[in-house]
Structure formats: structure tokens, C-alpha cells
């Protein structure tokens, strides 16, 4: 081992005792049960629903409450207690408003704090003290530790503990303590979060989800196609940028661009006002909460058209300069017969409905007007100078990747592109052929490369990010082609169909899943593939657990827009030392509903597998890391203190 590294390590552990203590500490962690992993995917801007799943730990909080209090508290009391853990600030207010005397309140404080400590004590049983300390409300660490580790049987200490509680309440600190303990509980029931892609688009608050994730104690992200679209926009891809704005307009979410990220849409609006009018397929999709005036709706409809046309124009030069992407079929603006109002796709001609080609020159259909060029350039400048977006995109890069191998499982948003016969689909990129894991690795390199050079807007790496959004061999898209143009302009629904990669039928097969795990050097006996991206249509009887449990698809659709096709409001997955459980969530109404009616929609759990022997940290990714640390510490001990 590198002597320099050992010297560095010696600075941190500068006595033999310290090295020994650390070795003992780490070795004891290895024998603790593995922490609970929580998998979520396809959040699609649904911040409230995501918050709820995060706060209740996919039902884990309730499970722990039942473990501790079943038989002692009624169902209603347990539910109320659970709500307090999820939304402590609001719940305390509600509870307090029901009391008529100080005495009542004091009793409630005492009872509640005692219960919370019991719950925390149970939830933290598999963690070391130092880890628990980190999870405790920092201003109350001393008090909580005293209370947490008290031993009731020690009579003379009883008075001492009561005094602590009494003083805490008397000093008006009880609310803060309860709030802190509630967040501690939330934190302890989930050790690590995996976000299996698609934080962005369709829903109203992806930026709030990002802020939540930035503050989350431990997580990783597998990029979804929508996340990569945002990364692409920030990394300099104008066509990705046009797409994110188009999608925000389509879902009436331009606030995300303007208010959350501070990007000025005025130039785009001016252009839109000049060239476009009302046009049904471009009207924003409405949700129940939208209160748009006719004027507002019209404005969004115009913006939607303006940016869609810019997008279609921007696609053309990329397709032409990158023949290896083989996307010539998508040069649709060039296939429009502007005189007869028709378009020819895959050899078939269709009438165009609701065309909006005022800025298109039939002789040079993909040329941007100067005005359009200026609009997109200004937008890119704003995007790259948005402080908040910069923070969010950097975080996506830091915590994210195209796929992840974690504790023996393969986490991936979309797919591994396959041929019909189950072989890995090859793609020729700049003269080299890639498939399977290698293809995904090369895709990721391009994303990182483009992100590192945001000033380059037309280079290969930046074009590849767009390809990841929409290309046939993209592991994130997983479909033959994206029929956005057809859905706006052609009535014939057959043209709207996006044919899925064979992966999506082959993944039902256990042998295939085993081969894919092997492709990623994972043990097919132990490992599973965890997928997002395609909504599981429970309504039609689709099963999220496929291939004898080797494949688990957890996109049940947080996205409200997709709930009518799925029939539920999302799946999440829990993986603790006892095994894996899939949780199906019912539709989430609102936080207010949870608070007042305790409607913490019952989540149905299904066992995916049960570990025969409780899994320990030793057998996890983290365990591997700890073993390496221990090894280094042994070396340090020999190198420094035993010679
Ligand atoms: O539902 P919309 O807004 O029309 O979007 C449809 C587009 O979204 C996609 O389904 C991709 O989004 P998902 O990753 O959420 O599936 C495309 O395949 C499709 O063209
Ligand atoms: Mn997706």
C-alpha cells in the first residue's frame, strides 16, 4: 500500500489506541443487520406524494409503531401517532387546538415524548450509537441521549429523567423536541434511498423534490430519460432545452422554468404571440388544481407551438451531422408537403391536422428564423446562469449515474437494449461497436463529458445526450422512435404508437434476466434487476414482479397524468435485513387529508423474498468498503506502530 496514503491516514489516527479503537468499531458494524434500502422511481414532479412516501418510509414508520405499541394503543391512536411522525409541525398545532388546559397539554407532551423515545429506541436498534447521534435533533442530543439510554430499573435515576422532561416542557422546548424526534424517526426507518429515475417533467414541483433530495441523509439516483433531458439542456443541448420547455408548456408547468429557476420566458412569449394562435393539440393538459383563465390558456398554447417548432427544427442538423445515430426517419419537417398539407412517414402519406408552420420556409423547413435563434440562445444563457438549476444539475451529476450495482442488484431506469433473440443490441458509435454494459458505460461517459463543457453546444457528446432522450438504442428511452410530431399533427392513432425494445417482453423471462445480471458481473442467484420507466398497468392485471422475482418494475405512476392507466399511485420497494417487500400505494390526495382524516392510504405490501438468514452489513456494498478501510487500518498499525 502506498506509504503516502498511510501517512495521510496516520494524521487522522495518530496513536495505536486510536487505530485499534477504529478497527474494533468498524468490525462491529460489519456484524450489524444491513440497513433498510428504499427504492422509488418516476416521481415526475409530484412533490407532495413523494414527500408522503418519504415521510412514512413506504409504511415502515407504521410497521415500527405496530411493533412497539400493538395491544397497548388502539388502531386510531397508532394512526394519530403515525401522522405526528409524518407531519409533526402541523399535527402538533392541530392537537394543541383541542386542549383546554395547560395540564392536559403537559400530559400529552410527556406521554408523546416517552412514546417517541420508545419508537426511536426500536428503530435504531441496528445502528451504532454514533450513527444514531448523527440522526438526533442536534440541539437536543444531550437530552435525548440521556433519555434514550436510561434504564428504568435504576430507581434513583428516575427522578433525574423526570426532571429533564419537566424542564424541557417548562422551558417551552417540547414542540421543538417532538418535531426533532419525528424527523429522527423518519430518518432511522430508512437507511438509504434509491431514486430509480425520472424526477423531472409532467408534475409541478421537481425542483422541490431536488431540494429534498439534496438534504436527504443518504441516496443515489439512476438517471431517467427526463432527468437526462434536463441535464442535456444545462449541458448546452438546445434541442433538449426546447424539449423541457415544450413539456412544461404541455403540462401547464411553465412556473418551474420561470419562477423556480428564474428563466425569463418573455422573448419566447413575444415570438409566440407574433406567429401563433389557438390550436387544440397544443392546449395545456389540465389537472384538477389548474385555474387558468382563457387568456392564460391561450398564451401557453402559443408558447407550446413556438417551442415545439423550434424543437423540430433543431433536431434536423443533429440527425444530419450524426449518421451513426441512424435517425433519418425523424427528419419530418422535411417530409411535409406544405402545399397539400400532408406528411409522408415510413412511406405512407397522412393529412396534417392543426399544422402551425408559420415560421417554416417550405424551401428550407428546418432553418431557424433569426428571432427563433435569438430566443433559444437567450434561453440557453438563462438556463446555464440559473443558480438554482446549476445546483440541482450538479447534484444530479454527483449522485447520479445511468445504472448502479448495489448490494448485488442492478438498478436501472429504462432498459438494456436487446435484439429479438435476446442478444445485446449493438450500436456503432464513432466507428466502434458497443453493446450491453459497455454501451451503457460509453453513454454515461458522453453525458459526463458534455456536462463538463457546457459551452460546447454542437459537439458529439452533447448530441448524444439528446440521443439518450429519444434514440432507438438508448437505454433510457427503450423505444423505436418518439412520435411527438405525429401526436400533434396526425389523426391516425397507429402513427402515435412507440414500439418498445424487445427488452420489455424478454424481461418476463427468468433466464434472460439472469443473463443480463451476468452481463453486469452480478450474481444471478442473488441479484435482481430493479426497473422504473414503464407504468405497471395494475388495472390490466400486470404484475410488477416478473421473471420469478428476478425483475421488479416499480413505476406504478406517481405521475397523476398516468394514474388512470395504472390504477394505482406508484410502487416502492423496501429491502431490509429480512428481505424485500414491494409496496403498492393508493392515490395520494393531500397532506391535509392525512392530517385531518388520518387517511394514510393503506399501502399493500407483497413479499418479494425472505432472507433465510438475516443479512448483515458485511454482505453489502458498504460492508465491502468497510472491509477495505479495516484492511488499511491494519496496514497502518503494522507500518506505524509495530515496527
Ligand atoms: O404523455 P406525453 O406528455 O405525451 O409524453 C409522451 C412521451 O413521453 C414518453 O413516454 C417518455 O416519458 P416516460 O419516460 O415517462 O415514459 C415518450 O416515450 C413519449 O413520447
Ligand atoms: Mn422514463
Amino acid at each position: 500500500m502506498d506509504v503516502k496514503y498511510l501517512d495521510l491516514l496516520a494524521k487522522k489516527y495518530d496513536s495505536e489506541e486510536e487505530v485499534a479503537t477504529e478497527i474494533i468499531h468498524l468490525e462491529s458494524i460489519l456484524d450489524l443487520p444491513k440497513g433498510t434500502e428504499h427504492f422509488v422511481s418516476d416521481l415526475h414532479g409530484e412533490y407532495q406524494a413523494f414527500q408522503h412516501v418519504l415521510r412514512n418510509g413506504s409504511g415502515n414508520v407504521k410497521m415500527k409503531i405496530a411493533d412497539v405499541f400493538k395491544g397497548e394503543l388502539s388502531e386510531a391512536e397508532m394512526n394519530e401517532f403515525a401522522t405526528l411522525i409524518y407531519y409533526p409541525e402541523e399535527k402538533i398545532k392541530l392537537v394543541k387546538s383541542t386542549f383546554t388546559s395547560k395540564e392536559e397539554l403537559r400530559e400529552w407532551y410527556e406521554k408523546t415524548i416517552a412514546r417517541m423515545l420508545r419508537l426511536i429506541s426500536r428503530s435504531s436498534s441496528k445502528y451504532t450509537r454514533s450513527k444514531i447521534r448523527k440522526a438526533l435533533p442536534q440541539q437536543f442530543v444531550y437530552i435525548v441521549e440521556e433519555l434514550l439510554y436510561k434504564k428504568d430499573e435504576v430507581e434513583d435515576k428516575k427522578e433525574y429523567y423526570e426532571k429533564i422532561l419537566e424542564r424541557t416542557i417548562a422551558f417551552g422546548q417540547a414542540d421543538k423536541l417532538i418535531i426533532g424526534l419525528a424527523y429522527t424517526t423518519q430518518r432511522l426507518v430508512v437507511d438509504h434511498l434509491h431514486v430509480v429515475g425520472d424526477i423531472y417533467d409532467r408534475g409541478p414541483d421537481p425542483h422541490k423534490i431536488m431540494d429534498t433530495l439534496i438534504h436527504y441523509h443518504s441516496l443515489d439516483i439512476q438517471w431517467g430519460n427526463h432527468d437526462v433531458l434536463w441535464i442535456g439542456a444545462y449541458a448546452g443541448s438546445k434541442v433538449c432545452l426546447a424539449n423541457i420547455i415544450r413539456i412544461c408548456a404541455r403540462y401547464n408547468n411553465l412556473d418551474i422554468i420561470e419562477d423556480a429557476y428564474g428563466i425569463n420566458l418573455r422573448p419566447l412569449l413575444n415570438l409566440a404571440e407574433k406567429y401563433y394562435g389557438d390550436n387544440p393539440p397544443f392546449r395545456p393538459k389540465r389537472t384538477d388544481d389548474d385555474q387558468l383563465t382563457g387568456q392564460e390558456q391561450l398564451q401557453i398554447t402559443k408558447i407550446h407551438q413556438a417551442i415545439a417548432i423550434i424543437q423540430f427544427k433543431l433536431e434536423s442538423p443533429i440527425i444530419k451531422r450524426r449518421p451513426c445515430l441512424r435517425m433519418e426517419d425523424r427528419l419530418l419537417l422535411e417530409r411535409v408537403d406544405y402545399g397539400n398539407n400532408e406528411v409522408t412517414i415510413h412511406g405512407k402519406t397522412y393529412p396534417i391536422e392543426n399544422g402551425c408552420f408559420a415560421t417554416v420556409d417550405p424551401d428550407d423547413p428546418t432553418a431557424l428564423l433569426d428571432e427563433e435563434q435569438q430566443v433559444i440562445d437567450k434561453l440557453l444563457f438563462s438556463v446555464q446562469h440559473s443558480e438554482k438549476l446549476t445546483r440541482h444539475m450538479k447534484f444530479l451529476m454527483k449522485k447520479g449515474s445511468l445504472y448502479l450495482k448495489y448490494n448485488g442488484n442492478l438498478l436501472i431506469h429504462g432498459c438494456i437494449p436487446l435484439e429479438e433473440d435476446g442478444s445485446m443490441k449493438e450500436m456503432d458509435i464513432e466507428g466502434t461497436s458497443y453493446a450491453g454494459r459497455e454501451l451503457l458505460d460509453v453513454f454515461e461517459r458522453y453525458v459526463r463529458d458534455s456536462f463538463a463543457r457546457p459551452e460546447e453546444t454542437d459537439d458529439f457528446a452533447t448530441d448524444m445526450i439528446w440521443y439518450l432522450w429519444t434514440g432507438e438504442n438508448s437505454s433510457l428511452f427503450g423505444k423505436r422512435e418518439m412520435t411527438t410530431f405525429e401526436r400533434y399533427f396526425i389523426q391516425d392513432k397507429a402513427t402515435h404508437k412507440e414500439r418498445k425494445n424487445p427488452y420489455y417482453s424478454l424481461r418476463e423471462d427468468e433466464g434472460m434476466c439472469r443473463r443480463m445480471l451476468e452481463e453486469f458481473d452480478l450474481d444471478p442467484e442473488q441479484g435482481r434487476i430493479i426497473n422504473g420507466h414503464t407504468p405497471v398497468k395494475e388495472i390490466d392485471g400486470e404484475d410488477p414482479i416478473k421473471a420469478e422475482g428476478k425483475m421488479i418494475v416499480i413505476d406504478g405512476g406517481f405521475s397523476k397524468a398516468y394514474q388512470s392507466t395504472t390504477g394505482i399511485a406508484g410502487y416502492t420497494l423496501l429491502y431490509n435485513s429480512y428481505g424485500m417487500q414491494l409496496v403498492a400505494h393508493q392515490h395520494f390526495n393531500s397532506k391535509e387529508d392525512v392530517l385531518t382524516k388520518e387517511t394514510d392510504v393503506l399501502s399493500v405490501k407483497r413479499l418479494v423474498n425472505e432472507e433465510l438468514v438475516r443479512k448483515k452489513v458485511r454482505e453489502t456494498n458498504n460492508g465491502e468498503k468497510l472491509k477495505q478501510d479495516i484492511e488499511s487500518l491494519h496496514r497502518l498499525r503494522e507500518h506505524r506502530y509495530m515496527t
Side-chain angles (χ1 to χ4, degrees):
M1 190 170 292
D2 192 346
V3 174
K4 268 200 189 133
Y5 172 71
L6 292 180
D7 285 344
L8 215 61
L9 207 57
K11 285 198 177 138
K12 201 164 166 208
Y13 304 100
D14 61 1
S15 71
E16 187 175 4
E17 292 72 23
E18 277 188 77
V19 177
T21 309
E22 187 61 10
I23 292 175
I24 293 165
H25 173 64
L26 296 183
E27 276 177 349
S28 69
I29 294 178
L30 286 178
D31 285 320
L32 289 171
K34 101 182 240 314
T36 301
E37 293 168 62
H38 191 191
F39 301 73
V40 301
S41 92
D42 296 85
L43 305 172
H44 282 301
E46 296 296 340
Y47 170 72
Q48 295 282 354
F50 172 57
Q51 271 288 320
H52 191 64
V53 165
L54 212 55
R55 284 167 186 252
N56 76 8
S58 282
N60 223 2
V61 167
K62 255 193 186 158
M63 227 157 63
K64 288 276 185 303
I65 292 178
D67 279 355
V68 181
F69 297 104
K70 203 161 193 150
E72 183 181 328
L73 298 181
S74 70
E75 204 65 34
E77 283 170 321
M78 287 199 280
N79 284 343
E80 188 171 9
F81 189 42
T83 311
L84 176 72
I85 305 285
Y86 309 155
Y87 302 108
E89 294 92 344
E90 292 90 341
K91 191 68 189 176
I92 287 177
K93 263 197 209 131
L94 275 175
V95 172
K96 279 167 106 177
S97 68
T98 64
F99 295 138
T100 48
S101 72
K102 268 197 160 171
E103 188 50 27
E104 258 182 296
L105 177 62
R106 200 184 51 78
E107 270 174 28
W108 182 79
Y109 278 145
E110 280 180 7
K111 187 177 73 185
T112 304
I113 294 171
R115 281 179 190 162
M116 290 182 113
L117 290 168
R118 282 170 66 196
L119 185 62
I120 287 178
S121 176
R122 167 63 67 98
S123 313
S124 61
S125 58
K126 62 180 176 185
Y127 299 130
T128 60
R129 278 201 187 185
S130 78
K131 186 155 180 170
I132 301 166
R133 183 170 306 141
K134 280 189 205 134
L136 293 177
Q138 286 312 297
Q139 71 276 40
F140 297 115
V141 167
Y142 163 72
I143 296 178
V144 179
E145 284 195 333
E146 286 293 300
L147 295 170
L148 206 55
Y149 305 123
K150 78 171 181 179
K151 296 269 176 289
D152 275 336
E153 58 276 16
V154 189
E155 241 336 288
D156 56 347
K157 273 204 159 186
K158 197 157 176 256
E159 217 173 292
Y160 164 70
Y161 296 121
E162 276 168 5
K163 193 100 198 146
I164 296 181
L165 252 189
E166 188 195 303
R167 300 315 291 160
T168 307
I169 297 168
F171 284 136
Q173 298 298 305
D175 286 2
K176 279 191 212 143
L177 177 60
I178 290 175
I179 292 167
L181 292 177
Y183 286 112
T184 299
T185 310
Q186 289 179 21
R187 175 165 172 178
L188 290 173
V189 296
V190 169
D191 191 40
H192 186 83
L193 176 71
H194 305 285
V195 182
V196 193
D198 278 357
I199 295 162
Y200 279 89
D201 290 333
R202 300 208 175 103
D205 298 310
H207 52 288
K208 289 190 189 164
I209 297 180
M210 288 303 293
D211 281 335
T212 302
L213 295 179
I214 286 173
H215 292 107
Y216 200 76
H217 55 272
S218 175
L219 85 158
D220 50 61
I221 298 169
Q222 293 71 56
W223 300 319
N225 46 336
H226 291 271
D227 307 322
V228 149
L229 191 65
W230 281 72
I231 291 175
Y234 183 80
S237 164
K238 292 177 192 175
V239 72
C240 289
L241 171 55
N243 264 288
I244 65 172
I245 295 176
R246 180 183 63 78
I247 295 171
C248 283
R250 179 168 167 75
Y251 284 88
N252 184 25
N253 285 327
L254 287 168
D255 289 357
I256 300 170
I257 304 284
E258 277 201 293
D259 302 340
Y261 288 128
I263 293 154
N264 183 9
L265 287 177
R266 175 57 54 184
L268 176 61
L269 176 63
N270 291 342
L271 174 86
E273 290 285 1
K274 184 167 164 191
Y275 290 103
Y276 301 93
D278 190 23
N279 194 357
F282 290 91
R283 287 182 194 148
K285 286 186 181 238
R286 308 285 297 265
T287 63
D288 304 342
D289 343 310
D290 292 341
Q291 314 238 316
L292 285 179
T293 64
Q295 192 52 35
E296 285 164 339
Q297 171 168 307
L298 180 61
Q299 207 173 67
I300 298 169
T301 307
K302 291 175 181 177
I303 291 180
H304 190 178
Q305 293 168 84
I307 199 69
I309 295 298
I310 291 178
Q311 176 197 316
F312 296 134
K313 288 185 177 182
L314 287 170
E315 289 172 357
S316 172
I318 305 178
I319 295 171
K320 287 179 183 156
R321 70 178 171 242
R322 308 293 175 208
C324 76
L325 304 184
R326 308 179 69 163
M327 291 183 68
E328 294 75 15
D329 285 351
R330 300 310 302 163
L331 291 169
L332 295 185
L333 280 183
E334 276 129 305
R335 305 253 159 77
V336 174
D337 176 339
Y338 293 91
N340 292 320
N341 220 21
E342 293 172 341
V343 61
T344 303
I345 302 175
H346 299 307
K348 227 176 139 186
T349 302
Y350 304 87
I352 288 206
E353 309 276 340
N354 306 304
C356 50
F357 304 120
T359 69
V360 176
D361 172 0
D363 294 328
D364 190 4
T366 63
L368 289 171
L369 297 184
D370 285 346
E371 295 156 274
E372 289 173 320
Q373 186 70 58
Q374 277 169 21
V375 163
I376 196 75
D377 289 346
K378 279 187 187 157
L379 282 170
L380 182 61
F381 183 86
S382 296
V383 159
Q384 294 187 330
H385 289 83
S386 159
E387 184 274 330
K388 191 188 270 187
L389 191 63
T390 304
R391 240 180 332 108
H392 289 178
M393 293 302 116
K394 284 192 172 160
F395 184 73
L396 265 186
M397 295 305 290
K398 186 167 142 208
K399 293 288 177 184
S401 55
L402 217 42
Y403 67 88
L404 182 70
K405 300 197 300 180
Y406 196 95
N407 290 349
N409 299 314
L410 177 64
L411 283 55
I412 179 164
H413 177 73
C415 71
I416 300 152
L418 298 178
E419 297 286 1
E420 294 286 351
D421 65 3
S423 57
M424 305 283 151
K425 195 163 192 302
E426 299 210 355
M427 180 177 178
D428 199 69
I429 303 176
E430 293 185 303
T432 311
S433 184
Y434 302 93
R437 181 180 178 179
E438 267 185 13
L439 179 63
L440 269 59
D441 287 340
V442 86
F443 282 152
E444 179 159 339
R445 278 207 294 280
Y446 284 119
V447 177
R448 298 201 181 276
D449 182 25
S450 171
F451 194 84
R453 294 175 299 103
E455 64 290 349
E456 299 268 359
T457 60
D458 299 328
D459 60 316
F460 191 72
T462 305
D463 291 346
M464 281 305 279
I465 303 194
W466 174 67
Y467 184 81
L468 277 178
W469 161 245
T470 190
E472 180 180 6
N473 297 316
S474 158
S475 58
L476 294 178
F477 178 47
K479 298 174 189 167
R480 169 70 189 82
E481 56 191 348
M482 196 174 285
T483 59
T484 314
F485 184 97
E486 289 88 328
R487 274 177 283 128
Y488 285 134
F489 299 122
I490 300 176
Q491 288 296 311
D492 185 346
K493 284 228 161 50
T495 64
H496 302 179
K497 182 129 185 67
E498 295 179 346
R499 207 175 68 234
K500 289 195 178 121
N501 182 275
Y503 172 88
Y504 290 98
S505 46
L506 293 169
R507 71 176 173 181
E508 304 277 345
D509 180 65
E510 187 188 346
M512 185 71 235
C513 291
R514 284 174 176 267
R515 286 202 294 286
M516 292 193 280
L517 286 163
E518 278 167 358
E519 168 73 17
F520 285 79
D521 286 331
L522 287 164
D523 175 5
E525 285 308 315
Q526 299 292 325
R528 294 160 203 285
I529 302 176
I530 319 281
N531 244 183
H533 191 47
T534 48
V536 178
K537 296 182 179 156
E538 233 195 43
I539 277 185
D540 304 336
E542 187 180 347
D543 193 344
I545 305 175
K546 301 175 189 297
E548 310 300 320
K550 288 284 143 208
M551 166 72 64
I552 302 168
V553 186
I554 59 169
D555 178 9
F558 271 88
S559 178
K560 281 195 189 139
Y562 279 64
Q563 282 174 6
S564 54
T565 52
T566 59
I568 56 156
Y571 291 103
T572 55
L573 194 66
L574 289 170
Y575 180 22
N576 60 27
S577 59
Y578 296 108
M580 247 187 204
Q581 285 180 313
L582 184 75
V583 188
H585 299 267
Q586 304 308 314
H587 175 70
F588 176 77
N589 249 343
S590 68
K591 177 162 96 182
E592 287 64 38
D593 250 27
V594 179
L595 279 163
T596 52
K597 302 187 204 140
E598 324 279 4
T599 50
D600 173 27
V601 263
L602 240 193
S603 310
V604 187
K605 289 207 168 141
R606 266 178 68 187
L607 199 65
V608 180
N609 83 315
E610 210 163 4
E611 296 291 346
L612 298 174
V613 187
R614 218 175 159 188
K615 248 200 165 59
K616 293 186 172 165
V617 172
R618 181 182 295 287
E619 301 157 76
T620 65
N621 273 25
N622 202 23
E624 279 310 317
K625 226 187 108 255
L626 291 178
K627 280 185 236 167
Q628 283 167 16
D629 291 350
I630 292 171
E631 177 62 26
S632 306
L633 288 164
H634 276 299
R635 290 286 167 82
L636 174 64
R637 196 160 160 262
E638 285 156 22
H639 168 75
R640 268 293 162 110
Y641 304 109
M642 297 189 62
T643 44

